[in-house]
Amino acid sequence: MQCFRRQPKRSVSQENILQEQSRRVAALNGMRLGLKDDKDLKFLLKGSQLLKVKSGSWRKERFYKLQEDCKTIWQESKKVLRSPESQIFSIEDIRDVRSGHKTEGMEKYAKDVPEYRCFSIIFKDQRKNLDLIASSEDDANHWISGLGKIIAHSNSMNQKQKLQHWIHTCLRKADKNKDNKMSLKELKDFLKEVNIEVDDYHAKKIFQHCDKSKTEALEDDEIEEFYKILTERKEIDNIFQKYSDAEGFMSCQNLVRFLYETQQEEDAVVAAPALIQRYEPNERAKRGNAMTKDGFLMYLLSDDGNIFNSSHRKVYQDMTQPLSHYLVSSSHNTYLMEDQLTGPSSTEAYIRALTKGCRCVELDCWDGPNSEPVIYHGYTLTSKILFSDVIKAIKNYAFKTSPYPVIISLENHCSVEQQKVMAQHMTTILQDMLLVAPVDGNKSQFPSPEQLKGKILVKGKKLSRQEDPAGTNGNNNLEAEDVSDEDEAAEMEDESVKTEIQQKGKRDTLKLAKELSDTVVYCKSVHFNGFEDPSHPRPFYEMSSFTESKALKLAQESGTSFIHHNIRHLSRIYPAGWRTDSSNYNPIDLWNVGCQIVALNFQTAGTEMDVYQGRFQDNGFSGYVLKPEFLRDEQTKFNPKSITEGTWGTKKKLLLKIISGQQLPKVNKSKNSIVDPKVTVEIHGVQQDNNKKQTKVIENNGFNPKWEEEFTFDIEIPALALVRFVVEDFDMSTKNDFIGQYTLPFTSLKQGYRHIHLLTKNGDPYSSSTLFVYISIQDCD
């Protein structure tokens, strides 16, 4: 049995002193956030009782309070033996704060409470939403507004401010007796907290160097001295010294030279003065049009010093080409939060996918009770959600991340009556957003993403004898007819699913209602019967869906034909039936033959999803990326499986140096656990380009590991290549633990000295975890 040591009771005066110190620390952190004397912040620091809502029968009062660090929330818990860490969540973990009944939980369980008292906290990872009810409208507004301000101000802090805030929070945590001094033991505890193992000799050496007062405790200026030693970046100091004068200033002229020679910035003359004004904290240097070491570091940590080309953060590609000329960010079985067999279905899954830039979502529709269609994975135990609720969620979130069109991919298993209800819901809820007629009478090719801005398209079956999408004449009086049934769920390799299908009997055809058929304009689903004869082309608006195995076979055996097919037609690819765990396939080989709608399980983290998000962060995170010219040219002879000489772009040599890492997160939350990081660099592209190389392991240092290792990669087809940087915690006996990663298109790489801002397993940015690298790209001889 574990024994708990009783803490000595503090006197009233000691308590008052500690409370006053806590208030001062909170005020200082509030000021760092730019929220000095903010009334909402003060309310959150004081805390309040809120009703936590879990179900119709579970609604309990709990106390919530913002901690003095202004970055974590403490929540009261009645659970026995719950660890203190589990009662805290970070502001950085919050994706969104929604007022009113804006989640499924609130919609179901809090309709009896006025919306103005309700709000929900949405987390970045797979954690469940936190649905809360305040005692008054004022209290709810304080929480909604206060959290919103902290999130916004935290996001706007530069990397140096984030680092300072984090280190001071860790220092405060290590100060066990809260005397604002640091003993040698507390200093060693602090170093472990920030993920660095230092032996007793080195810890004592640092301590004695900073302890100028010889009091066996660091305080005030001595702690600041310790902070400077800890955050020293010698590798950046060495670069700065090459371009600075004896007084420690880098002139504008020398900054131009650095930007042009080392960073390969073509507009160096224009950029240099702007960078000085933007990042230099020293007013004297700024007036003299020069940069100090601090300003230089802030530039390298900023968006301008990022490895990803900042001009690609906005839409820069031609968006006026036919829809089939773009890769489209697409989700498979979007409604699922977890696996394909028993997991929950949720409208939240659609919101998460759309806010991640997804432009094609999937709806599996079945007859539901009370004449209301439902969405779930047929023949399985996944939960069911209303079709109408999903359409509302799509309407509300379709264009928050990108203005470009969203495609609703319907897998329809409903009766004619409920199909009519589906059509009515889409028409009445989406209204003008729903595309119901060809754009500008375009009947020969797809309209462009630019023409379809703000529009929602439906992909589904179309009555063959009805007026077709291109507007040619046909029998428009048909009420319903049989069409072939597309049933992806029936392909699942699961015994219980197969038994369910045998019992219910699977039909090859389905009766389609005219009303639902009318919603399909440019994306008519047809069965794939082989590549078309050029002398008898099929209508451009006909599109087929392929399992990953069928598509990969076509890519392998008929790559050039598949590319030609995808110039005029859209192709949708979906995961194999055996992936009941919602695992993903590699999208690269399908993109390489021009397949546009390569649908992945967005809820599943991993290499495939990292590569996917890396591809679509290009072109302003719009969800549309223009295919290279050789995948759009009707005369193309390109085949990714057999590359010959052609106009595929100049071959490149990538020279890459992994220099150092900064503030890598702890993988194991144990106090004494320190990471042993190593970096792997991967190239994903055509088969000849696929490659990976890795650094040595740095033992016991996640705070500021140094590698200084160089690698070279030859890139045959730069336009199709992506580069992935992966940091892992090396473990000799078991699988390495994931720490962070970053993936980007080769064509979005910036040259010179750059920081890589690492992402979590779920693709969210860490606040201050980075790699520092040097990049050089040369043409191959």
Side-chain angles (χ1 to χ4, degrees):
M1 182 178 168
Q2 189 178 0
C3 296
F4 294 93
R5 189 174 64 182
R6 186 182 294 276
Q7 294 290 325
K9 193 174 181 183
R10 299 189 183 103
S11 66
V12 174
S13 61
Q14 284 175 320
E15 281 292 339
N16 289 340
I17 290 167
L18 284 172
Q19 284 178 13
E20 181 53 38
Q21 283 178 355
S22 180
R23 275 194 291 271
R24 280 211 313 271
V25 170
L28 181 63
N29 285 324
M31 196 161 64
R32 283 188 184 128
L33 280 170
L35 294 172
K36 185 183 177 183
D37 297 328
D38 184 84
K39 65 181 189 330
D40 293 320
L41 185 71
K42 284 181 177 177
F43 179 89
L44 268 58
L45 286 163
K46 188 178 175 184
S48 76
Q49 295 284 351
L50 295 168
L51 278 176
K52 184 177 178 179
V53 181
K54 278 189 175 180
S55 69
S57 58
W58 201 104
R59 190 185 285 186
K60 296 183 180 177
E61 198 170 69
R62 296 286 184 264
F63 188 75
Y64 289 82
K65 179 183 182 298
L66 179 68
Q67 303 283 79
E68 63 185 32
D69 62 5
C70 294
K71 59 187 284 189
T72 50
I73 304 280
W74 180 83
Q75 51 186 340
E76 178 190 10
S77 175
K78 304 288 185 182
K79 286 182 182 174
V80 181
L81 297 178
R82 183 168 180 178
S83 66
E85 289 80 15
S86 67
Q87 289 183 251
I88 289 171
F89 62 85
S90 171
I91 296 287
E92 288 170 7
D93 295 336
I94 298 174
R95 184 181 301 283
D96 192 14
V97 181
R98 295 184 202 152
S99 60
H101 304 144
K102 300 278 174 56
T103 63
E104 282 180 317
M106 282 301 202
E107 190 72 31
K108 281 183 187 173
Y109 311 127
K111 277 295 197 182
D112 59 313
V113 181
E115 282 207 70
Y116 56 74
R117 283 175 50 203
C118 300
F119 67 99
S120 301
I121 293 173
I122 317 300
F123 293 102
K124 288 178 180 174
D125 51 26
Q126 301 297 324
R127 217 181 319 182
K128 289 180 180 174
N129 300 336
L130 182 57
D131 293 322
L132 300 164
I133 299 171
S135 58
S136 69
E137 183 177 3
D138 280 351
D139 282 10
N141 287 339
H142 279 308
W143 277 103
I144 296 162
S145 177
L147 289 173
K149 286 178 194 173
I150 296 169
I151 292 166
H153 284 255
S154 296
N155 290 341
S156 65
M157 288 170 84
N158 63 46
Q159 288 295 121
K160 194 170 180 183
Q161 289 170 322
K162 287 179 183 177
L163 174 61
Q164 189 179 29
H165 193 167
W166 176 64
I167 285 181
H168 280 282
T169 300
C170 292
L171 283 167
R172 179 82 177 151
K173 202 171 176 181
D175 182 13
K176 299 295 182 192
N177 59 2
K178 306 299 180 199
D179 62 355
N180 284 339
K181 298 177 184 178
M182 185 180 281
S183 66
L184 178 59
K185 183 182 181 306
E186 286 173 334
L187 179 137
K188 282 155 74 174
D189 285 346
F190 164 79
L191 290 172
K192 285 179 182 174
E193 186 68 38
V194 298
N195 210 0
I196 184 169
E197 182 76 69
V198 178
D199 61 40
D200 288 352
Y201 171 76
H202 281 101
K204 196 167 185 179
K205 198 174 172 185
I206 295 169
F207 186 84
Q208 288 173 341
H209 173 81
C210 297
D211 185 21
K212 310 288 188 195
S213 60
K214 307 296 179 194
T215 57
E216 298 296 313
L218 306 185
E219 50 187 314
D220 301 330
D221 291 345
E222 294 169 338
I223 290 175
E224 286 302 314
E225 175 71 14
F226 170 63
Y227 169 80
K228 282 178 185 171
I229 291 170
L230 196 66
T231 56
E232 194 173 39
R233 295 281 303 272
K234 285 184 179 173
E235 71 274 33
I236 288 178
D237 294 351
N238 293 338
I239 302 163
F240 183 77
Q241 281 168 11
K242 290 179 189 174
Y243 294 89
S244 60
D245 59 25
E247 289 185 41
F249 291 104
M250 184 190 286
S251 68
C252 186
Q253 189 176 356
N254 279 349
L255 178 58
V256 168
R257 195 159 60 87
F258 169 75
L259 293 173
Y260 188 74
E261 294 173 355
T262 306
Q263 304 296 81
Q264 301 293 303
E265 300 284 8
E266 293 176 4
D267 62 344
V269 174
V270 175
L275 292 176
I276 291 169
Q277 291 305 310
R278 198 174 301 148
Y279 301 115
E280 179 51 56
N282 183 309
E283 286 301 323
R284 181 186 154 210
K286 199 184 278 190
R287 284 195 299 273
N289 207 17
M291 198 173 246
T292 63
K293 190 166 67 178
D294 280 348
F296 187 63
L297 174 60
M298 286 175 75
Y299 149 65
L300 285 174
L301 282 166
S302 75
D303 212 33
D304 289 301
N306 199 308
I307 192 171
F308 184 79
N309 188 335
S310 60
S311 69
H312 292 188
R313 291 197 192 283
K314 58 181 184 292
V315 174
Y316 69 96
Q317 296 176 343
D318 178 7
M319 300 302 281
T320 64
Q321 301 211 19
L323 201 64
S324 54
H325 287 193
Y326 299 83
L327 305 180
V328 184
S329 179
S330 308
S331 157
H332 170 250
N333 288 355
T334 315
Y335 47 88
L336 294 177
M337 299 286 280
E338 295 168 14
D339 65 78
Q340 305 282 313
L341 296 173
T342 59
S345 304
S346 173
T347 55
E348 196 62 47
Y350 286 90
I351 295 168
R352 289 183 183 184
L354 290 165
T355 52
K356 280 187 174 181
C358 179
R359 299 288 85 193
C360 179
V361 293
E362 187 177 2
L363 285 68
D364 284 2
C365 311
W366 299 78
D367 280 357
N370 306 315
S371 299
E372 281 294 339
V374 293
I375 290 173
Y376 82 111
H377 206 194
Y379 318 111
T380 71
L381 299 174
T382 56
S383 63
K384 300 172 182 177
I385 48 177
L386 287 175
F387 177 84
S388 59
D389 286 346
V390 170
I391 298 301
K392 286 173 191 170
I394 292 171
K395 179 191 177 181
N396 291 333
Y397 289 89
F399 305 110
K400 283 190 182 293
T401 300
S402 166
Y404 293 101
V406 167
I407 300 169
I408 292 177
S409 180
L410 291 182
E411 190 175 307
N412 168 29
H413 305 278
C414 291
S415 61
V416 170
E417 288 69 28
Q418 294 212 15
Q419 288 177 43
K420 292 176 182 178
V421 176
M422 287 166 60
Q424 185 183 6
H425 283 320
M426 286 194 287
T427 306
T428 55
I429 294 168
L430 299 176
Q431 297 178 346
D432 290 347
M433 288 182 181
L434 184 66
L435 188 79
V436 291
V439 175
D440 298 333
N442 195 336
K443 300 172 186 179
S444 58
Q445 65 174 18
F446 282 107
S448 68
E450 189 65 34
Q451 288 174 297
L452 293 168
K453 263 186 176 178
K455 289 295 182 184
I456 294 173
L457 286 66
V458 176
K459 170 203 162 287
K461 290 291 180 180
K462 187 86 178 163
L463 295 177
S464 58
R465 286 176 289 161
Q466 186 198 354
E467 186 174 34
D468 67 44
T472 55
N473 293 324
N475 180 0
N476 204 23
N477 300 315
L478 204 66
E479 287 303 315
E481 71 171 17
D482 286 344
V483 293
S484 62
D485 187 21
E486 290 183 358
D487 193 350
E488 291 172 20
E491 297 169 17
M492 278 197 295
E493 294 177 20
D494 178 80
E495 288 308 315
S496 61
V497 170
K498 288 176 180 176
T499 304
E500 183 79 8
I501 292 167
Q502 283 171 357
Q503 288 173 352
K504 291 189 175 177
K506 184 183 179 303
R507 296 170 301 173
D508 292 328
T509 60
L510 172 86
K511 203 165 277 296
L512 180 66
K514 176 183 177 298
E515 289 83 351
L516 190 61
S517 176
D518 284 344
T519 64
V520 176
V521 178
Y522 283 118
C523 303
K524 177 185 176 182
S525 296
V526 298
H527 186 71
F528 181 73
N529 291 312
F531 296 118
E532 66 190 18
D533 178 351
S535 60
H536 296 90
R538 281 170 29 208
F540 72 91
Y541 51 78
E542 290 187 355
M543 63 175 289
S544 301
S545 292
F546 307 84
T547 64
E548 59 175 280
S549 51
K550 169 83 179 195
L552 286 168
K553 189 170 186 289
L554 288 170
Q556 182 72 40
E557 297 174 358
S558 314
T560 307
S561 296
F562 211 171
I563 289 168
H564 279 277
H565 174 84
N566 289 325
I567 292 170
R568 286 191 76 241
H569 300 277
L570 291 172
S571 290
R572 176 177 167 272
I573 321 298
Y574 60 93
W578 57 266
R579 295 186 185 275
T580 54
D581 60 349
S582 293
S583 61
N584 280 315
Y585 58 97
N586 185 348
I588 297 280
D589 288 338
L590 287 318
W591 288 335
N592 289 350
V593 289
C595 295
Q596 304 87 348
I597 302 176
V598 181
L600 293 198
N601 293 304
F602 267 51
Q603 73 273 31
T604 305
T607 304
E608 297 82 9
M609 203 62 214
D610 294 342
V611 167
Y612 206 86
Q613 291 297 85
R615 169 58 72 200
F616 285 106
Q617 72 165 315
D618 194 8
N619 201 30
F621 199 52
S622 63
Y624 285 84
V625 172
L626 185 65
K627 293 190 278 189
E629 173 63 32
F630 56 82
L631 293 182
R632 296 180 275 123
D633 177 10
E634 292 186 359
Q635 306 305 314
T636 190
K637 291 181 172 57
F638 179 74
N639 184 346
K641 297 297 179 186
S642 176
I643 293 170
T644 54
E645 289 298 316
T647 54
W648 328 134
T650 308
K651 297 176 188 176
K652 301 288 183 182
K653 189 177 285 292
L654 171 63
L655 305 170
L656 201 153
K657 186 176 185 181
I658 305 291
I659 301 170
S660 60
Q662 294 76 40
Q663 294 88 59
L664 303 179
K666 280 193 173 195
V667 176
N668 187 328
K669 295 301 179 188
S670 160
K671 178 184 169 185
N672 294 315
S673 173
I674 311 294
V675 301
D676 305 320
K678 71 163 193 170
V679 181
T680 303
V681 183
E682 303 170 351
I683 306 296
H684 298 262
V686 295
Q687 201 165 341
Q688 291 95 314
D689 291 343
N690 291 338
N691 200 351
K692 68 176 177 181
K693 297 179 182 180
Q694 56 191 39
T695 66
K696 61 181 177 284
V697 176
I698 303 293
E699 293 186 354
N700 291 326
N701 187 351
F703 183 75
N704 54 4
K706 306 277 193 304
W707 288 280
E708 300 280 353
E709 291 190 56
E710 294 184 3
F711 304 116
T712 303
F713 298 92
D714 289 329
I715 311 294
E716 185 92 17
I717 311 290
L720 297 179
L722 291 107
V723 187
R724 182 172 183 251
F725 298 85
V726 193
V727 188
E728 294 177 305
D729 179 13
F730 177 74
D731 195 313
M732 196 171 288
S733 57
T734 61
K735 187 182 174 188
N736 296 340
D737 288 318
F738 175 89
I739 293 175
Q741 72 84 32
Y742 188 77
T743 308
L744 74 164
F746 180 85
T747 51
S748 295
L749 280 171
K750 291 289 280 184
Q751 297 189 68
Y753 290 101
R754 301 288 170 178
H755 277 96
I756 298 169
H757 295 259
L758 294 172
L759 305 177
T760 67
K761 185 172 65 176
N762 292 305
D764 297 305
Y766 284 115
S767 63
S768 52
S769 298
T770 53
L771 292 178
F772 187 52
V773 299
Y774 175 78
I775 305 278
S776 176
I777 299 170
Q778 299 168 4
D779 291 348
C780 284
D781 297 330

